[in-house]
Amino acid sequence: MATTKRTANKAKAAKPAAKAAKPAAKAAKPAAKAARPAAKAAKAQPAARPKAAPAKPARAKAAAPWDFWIDRGGTFTDIVGRDPQGRLHTRKFLSENPEAYADAAVAGIRDLLGLSAGAPMPPRSIGAVKMGTTVATNALLERKGERTLLMTTKGFRDALAIGYQARPHIFAKNIVKPEQLYSEVVEIDERILADGVVEKAASAADIRAALEAAKAKGFEAVAIVFMHAYRFPAHEKLAADIARDIGFAQVSVSHEVSPLIKLVGRGDTTVVDAYLSPILKRYVDRVAKELDVERSGARLMFMMSSGGLTAADLFAGKDAILSGPAGGVVALAETGRSAGMKRLIGFDMGGTSTDVAHFDGEFERAFETEVAGVRMRAPMMLIHTVAAGGGSILHFDGARFRVGPDSAGADPGPKCYRRGGPLAVTDANVMLGKLIPDFFPAIFGPDRNQPLDADAVRAAFAVLASEVGDGRTPEQVADGFVRIAVANMAEAIKKISVARGYDVTRYALNCFGGAGGQHACLVADALGMKTVLIHPYSSLLSAYGMGLADIRAQRQQGVETPLDQRGLAAIGREGKRLAAQTVREVAGQGVARGDIVTHVRAHVRYAGTDTALVVAAGTLKAMQTAFEKAHKARFGFIDRSKALVLEAVSVESVGGGARFVERARAETTARPPKPARRTRIFSQGQWRDAAVFTRDQLDIGHRVKGPALLIEPHQTIMIEEGWRATITRKNHVVLDRHVALPRREAIGTHADPVMLEIFNNLYMSIAEQMGLRLQNTAYSVNIKERLDFSCAVFDQRRRPRRQRAAHAGASGLDGSLGRDDHPAQRGRDPARRRLCAERALQRRHASARHHRHQSGFR
């Protein structure tokens, strides 16, 4: 029932030519040493082939169109083009460069096709264009979506604004309420009860009058959210029909967008869809116009947050938030599988942020999440993002160093980009010698032909070192910022691994993104990991993943019934109904029905809780076993005294993705070559002599011990002291720690501005993980939804060091105990200080007993 049979397809590896992966754009004009690795990498890397690619005569193949796989990121846009012969070509463009082009994705396509700006597209020259885009994410972050009307049940106009009453900044004196995406609310006097009884029928005349008034005010987008419509949608269907009849350009209806229980989550998702879908449609239309799809034959497809491709006309706002990063998760799984690694942590460090993900044989998805302060209930790849990218701005506030969260982006970019930008993480690596301008594309300056500006970086760090004023050299200042960035990224990985019950030391770090190779060894050391995988296309892996991804269609339906024979029948009934829709959608995009795989999954939880875990549909015993295994891993316990509840059924149909074969080659018997040059780098507190190798120098089987720099076409890999790089039989770079990580020495009492920030993050991580465990296991709505609790780290004097903020009484804090002017801190009488501390401890113990009782624990 859970899976239909897939027809096996043969994959034929193409023989790529040396020119298959020329670095950067033609305009980049990189140094010759940086260009050579591209040819070598391309020779060994077979191209991805479509599922059904029958052999054709040479003449027919030459006339075939190009395919393009694109990731439009915040700083760079990565393009992988597959020519008619199956060879892969790569380009990397700044996402924002208004002096040079209007859209980076289109500019990259034109460059690979050899077209000048304004030249018409050749007829039938383009096949599939598969894209991930940040357009929706940026619109959400900047609150630049469509002006949206919310239509809801009378009496619930403030339900989404109230939300779950969670207070993220409990001690803030200036309360700033989150900005709502909708501009106005219209209430309709209607009500269907939870059992389907119509208490108040909706009036078509009232609905029409309200919508016509809104249309007259200029609204073009409407989100319709009625009570209990996830199961009884008659009133929503009536309102939607009227809205479309009146002429609203965007009508988002909750029973179509997110047919799941909970008004707030369902309503928020529907509003997001109405708010972002028009922005996406305008972007899609603009790209289609510039590509002249009728003439060129381009078939536009976009990556959804769930990790599947869909046709441009089906691409909706709720599915676009993680459009780009989802492609990276697909690629990390496929390339890791090819390398023979089953447990993987994805580490995607770009220019603006770092995305991390966990993979252990199956994609992990979140069905309820929050992005940019907006709650959503839609299937998304489980990706955690931290604001620590190459463009993250470096700050010194007089006491401690901080990295981000603000970013220099692509314009102006870091200081070294020659646009007057601030110091950023990329500049720190230039300062440390880990980025060498001679091996970086010369695409900067007014004419886009100058290298990175190392002199400006050195001058800026010299000024910053004088501001710090504790005798640090500029290199030590830069190294301190890198250590903080590494700590931030390591904490992000803990959130998707350690906090979810996974032993991260048993995993390999699949490193990608333009800046990932510079920090991979340090991040692995911070987590106790010993293996790092770097694919030949690692710096463009999210774009590469667009080509490897399947076309996917998903549907969900809330059920809310005990997981017994009735629940099993509900799975069969809803699974069959939803599968008909998803298979039809995938088949409508050109995939043969015999090549479509359909998965049916059950969302199961314990009765009395609201945290559902997703398991494959099957027999009752199989689902119970899978649920208990997942619950044990996630929460640390199993409670067989509680009944299981089937909360929802989800169905996913998959097919049509490219499949690739990476050919294993024999290892060379030749000795490793001499380095292209030698250099000095500053790493982990001291200067070190390092060898510099270009990728084309190394053959299969060669090994390089750190410290060393390995220059690839689109990135620099830093091999740290104690690490070793091996070129595997499939042309991957695998880094392994061949020297045990030395024990760290105890930290002294000196207030080091670098360690202050690192320990600040570590303490906060402890408090956050404590809070996450309490939130997941609690029964109390106050704890689970309102987040009305505190978790804190105290020192030996019972003073709070870091706290996950909630109400002050939960941990015995009054909001000022940690301040210097609190009586417990400023009093000179030791007895007075002890009394204050003892009373605080008593309050904490009493509050802890109260919360254990409230949470159902004794």
Side-chain angles (χ1 to χ4, degrees):
M1 175 173 58
T3 307
T4 61
K5 187 175 180 181
R6 183 200 296 265
T7 303
N9 292 284
K10 295 181 180 179
K12 185 177 180 181
K15 182 181 179 182
K19 62 180 181 180
K22 290 183 180 179
K26 289 183 178 180
K29 300 180 181 178
K33 290 183 179 180
R36 287 198 299 265
K40 188 83 173 182
K43 275 184 179 178
Q45 182 61 38
R49 304 292 288 177
K51 280 187 164 184
K56 294 183 179 180
R59 177 179 294 181
K61 183 174 285 188
W66 282 67
D67 290 331
F68 296 98
W69 312 331
I70 302 170
D71 173 33
R72 189 184 188 281
T75 304
F76 285 101
T77 292
D78 300 332
I79 303 106
V80 177
R82 183 173 60 185
D83 67 19
Q85 286 73 41
R87 297 170 300 196
L88 300 185
H89 307 256
T90 60
R91 295 289 186 269
K92 186 180 284 282
F93 280 67
L94 288 171
S95 293
E96 299 292 338
N97 197 349
E99 300 92 347
Y101 40 76
D103 184 85
V106 176
I109 291 174
R110 284 185 165 276
D111 184 74
L112 284 169
L113 291 177
L115 299 176
S116 60
M121 288 286 175
R124 321 314 297 174
S125 57
I126 302 176
V129 178
K130 302 176 180 180
M131 289 184 64
T133 176
T134 58
V135 170
T137 310
N138 293 340
L140 187 62
L141 292 171
E142 299 169 9
R143 295 299 194 263
K144 292 183 178 179
E146 187 77 2
R147 187 162 171 255
T148 301
L149 173 75
L150 171 62
M151 174 174 281
T152 191
T153 302
K154 185 177 180 180
F156 291 88
R157 65 178 304 115
D158 296 322
L160 303 189
I162 295 172
Y164 298 124
Q165 303 182 55
R167 299 168 292 172
H169 305 291
I170 189 65
F171 297 132
K173 296 180 179 179
N174 180 27
I175 306 300
V176 179
K177 293 184 178 181
E179 182 182 355
Q180 298 301 314
L181 299 185
Y182 54 84
S183 301
E184 289 188 19
V185 183
V186 168
E187 291 183 301
I188 299 299
D189 191 8
E190 66 80 36
R191 188 64 181 271
I192 300 180
L193 302 182
D195 57 2
V197 173
V198 179
E199 183 178 71
K200 177 67 175 178
S203 168
D206 291 347
I207 293 174
R208 181 172 291 275
L211 289 174
E212 286 178 345
K215 192 76 164 61
K217 293 180 181 180
F219 283 97
E220 290 293 337
V222 58
I224 302 172
V225 185
F226 290 158
M227 284 291 291
H228 305 303
Y230 76 101
R231 293 186 70 181
F232 309 106
H235 289 176
E236 279 196 352
K237 290 180 178 179
L238 173 64
D241 290 342
I242 294 173
R244 291 174 179 129
D245 181 61
I246 290 174
F248 278 86
Q250 176 64 37
V251 180
S252 296
V253 195
S254 77
H255 75 271
E256 297 174 354
V257 172
S258 180
L260 300 173
I261 195 172
K262 291 186 179 180
L263 177 70
V264 173
R266 178 163 49 90
D268 282 337
T269 308
T270 307
V271 170
V272 167
D273 191 70
Y275 184 75
L276 296 179
S277 290
I279 302 295
L280 280 177
K281 186 177 185 304
R282 285 195 285 271
Y283 178 73
V284 169
D285 291 345
R286 190 183 82 194
V287 172
K289 181 179 179 181
E290 293 190 21
L291 292 179
D292 194 1
V293 294
E294 292 187 2
R295 177 184 176 87
S296 66
R299 184 163 64 99
L300 273 176
M301 307 185 76
F302 284 86
M303 174 64 73
M304 298 182 291
S305 302
S306 60
L309 293 165
T310 191
D313 59 338
L314 299 175
F315 194 40
K318 69 179 179 65
D319 299 321
I321 304 302
L322 298 180
S323 177
V329 178
V330 173
L332 84 86
E334 294 292 341
T335 57
R337 188 179 290 118
S338 176
M341 298 176 182
K342 296 180 179 180
R343 296 187 178 96
L344 297 160
I345 297 293
F347 171 59
D348 178 8
M349 184 177 180
T352 306
S353 61
T354 294
D355 299 318
V356 298
H358 169 267
F359 181 78
D360 190 6
E362 186 174 347
F363 293 129
E364 288 191 332
R365 294 188 176 92
F367 289 85
E368 186 165 3
T369 187
E370 183 174 316
V371 179
V374 178
R375 299 172 296 265
M376 279 174 286
R377 299 188 75 189
M380 297 185 184
M381 287 289 195
L382 189 58
I383 299 171
H384 185 71
T385 301
V386 61
S392 293
I393 298 175
L394 312 181
H395 301 275
F396 175 65
D397 61 9
R400 59 177 180 162
F401 291 1
R402 288 187 298 108
V403 176
D406 47 342
S407 173
D411 187 9
K415 174 71 72 176
C416 60
Y417 279 18
R418 298 181 182 271
R419 288 173 175 259
L423 283 176
V425 172
T426 296
D427 298 309
N429 284 306
V430 172
M431 186 71 207
L432 299 174
K434 296 181 179 181
L435 275 181
I436 303 176
D438 291 349
F439 293 96
F440 205 90
I443 59 174
F444 306 101
D447 299 322
R448 297 187 294 137
N449 60 356
Q450 292 181 272
L452 295 173
D453 191 348
D455 292 336
V457 170
R458 283 190 284 268
F461 271 108
V463 172
L464 185 56
S466 66
E467 290 179 5
V468 176
D470 62 355
R472 293 171 190 268
T473 65
E475 292 81 9
Q476 288 174 323
V477 172
D479 189 49
F481 280 115
V482 169
R483 289 165 65 191
I484 291 170
V486 167
N488 291 342
M489 292 182 285
E491 290 306 318
I493 291 175
K494 289 179 184 178
K495 291 182 186 296
I496 53 93
S497 57
V498 177
R500 296 175 60 82
Y502 302 115
D503 181 3
V504 73
T505 61
R506 301 171 60 194
Y507 285 70
L509 192 69
N510 194 336
C511 170
F512 54 107
Q518 297 155 40
H519 308 89
C521 292
L522 295 178
V523 170
D525 278 344
L527 295 164
M529 303 175 73
K530 298 178 176 61
T531 305
V532 177
L533 170 65
I534 301 180
H535 191 268
Y537 291 123
S538 63
S539 65
L540 305 99
L541 207 67
S542 289
Y544 191 55
M546 304 298 167
L548 302 182
D550 288 289
I551 297 171
R552 294 175 183 262
Q554 292 183 325
R555 296 289 189 277
Q556 303 172 71
Q557 180 60 58
V559 178
E560 291 298 317
T561 187
L563 187 61
D564 51 18
Q565 292 300 325
R566 287 179 299 169
L568 200 61
I571 293 174
R573 181 178 63 254
E574 294 297 334
K576 183 177 180 180
R577 181 179 67 86
L578 298 176
Q581 299 176 18
T582 56
V583 169
R584 185 166 57 249
E585 183 175 314
V586 174
Q589 299 180 60
V591 181
R593 287 182 178 264
D595 292 337
I596 298 174
V597 177
T598 298
H599 303 280
V600 181
R601 299 183 176 95
H603 299 233
V604 183
R605 58 178 172 80
Y606 279 128
T609 70
D610 65 354
T611 302
L613 301 178
V614 182
V615 299
T619 64
L620 289 174
K621 183 174 180 57
M623 288 188 288
Q624 179 179 354
T625 301
F627 172 80
E628 290 180 346
K629 180 180 178 181
H631 201 277
K632 177 71 174 178
R634 176 93 174 263
F635 303 121
F637 71 94
I638 297 172
D639 188 352
R640 292 195 173 95
S641 66
K642 292 191 176 298
L644 297 181
V645 174
L646 175 66
E647 181 178 280
V649 176
S650 62
V651 174
E652 180 181 38
S653 291
V654 184
R659 291 292 177 263
F660 74 118
V661 176
E662 294 186 308
R663 178 170 54 92
R665 297 167 55 195
E667 295 185 357
T668 182
T669 57
R671 294 173 60 86
K674 293 183 178 180
R677 71 162 74 171
R678 302 200 66 87
T679 188
R680 281 173 59 79
I681 61 170
F682 191 92
S683 183
Q684 303 180 71
Q686 66 184 72
W687 284 104
R688 304 172 191 270
D689 292 324
V692 180
F693 292 90
T694 55
R695 187 67 172 81
D696 65 330
Q697 289 183 275
L698 302 180
D699 208 341
I700 304 299
H702 278 156
R703 293 183 174 181
V704 175
K705 291 185 178 181
L709 294 175
L710 178 56
I711 312 297
E712 290 204 322
H714 296 291
Q715 71 169 337
T716 297
I717 301 173
M718 176 64 212
I719 308 168
E720 296 284 350
E721 181 79 32
W723 285 81
R724 173 179 57 194
T726 302
I727 311 300
T728 70
R729 297 185 64 195
K730 291 188 176 180
N731 201 38
H732 302 153
V733 177
V734 173
L735 306 174
D736 68 290
R737 176 162 270 289
H738 68 102
V739 176
L741 185 67
R743 285 191 173 188
R744 298 175 180 176
E745 297 180 358
I747 304 297
T749 58
H750 176 64
D752 185 286
V754 174
M755 297 311 299
L756 276 175
E757 179 65 7
I758 290 176
F759 275 112
N760 174 65
N761 293 337
L762 288 173
Y763 288 145
M764 194 64 205
S765 173
I766 294 171
E768 287 179 347
Q769 291 186 44
M770 290 161 60
L772 181 64
R773 180 57 59 93
L774 176 61
Q775 183 183 356
N776 282 336
T777 56
Y779 290 99
S780 167
V781 174
N782 271 356
I783 293 177
K784 186 172 288 292
E785 294 188 352
R786 295 187 66 221
L787 307 184
D788 197 359
F789 63 87
S790 282
C791 295
V793 179
F794 297 86
D795 64 13
Q796 68 272 26
R797 297 182 182 178
R798 304 184 182 94
R799 294 176 300 184
R801 285 295 162 233
R802 288 302 294 172
Q803 179 182 12
R804 182 179 178 182
H807 75 72
S811 59
L813 306 182
D814 62 3
S816 60
L817 185 58
R819 288 168 23 195
D820 291 337
D821 61 349
H822 190 275
Q825 311 301 327
R826 71 173 184 231
R828 296 185 178 183
D829 182 3
R832 173 66 178 168
R833 290 200 301 271
R834 283 197 301 271
L835 179 61
C836 290
E838 287 170 2
R839 287 178 177 173
L841 185 61
Q842 290 169 2
R843 290 197 301 270
R844 287 199 300 275
H845 287 169
S847 181
R849 287 194 298 270
H850 164 73
H851 274 273
R852 283 197 300 271
H853 177 77
Q854 188 180 36
S855 304
F857 294 95
R858 299 292 186 269

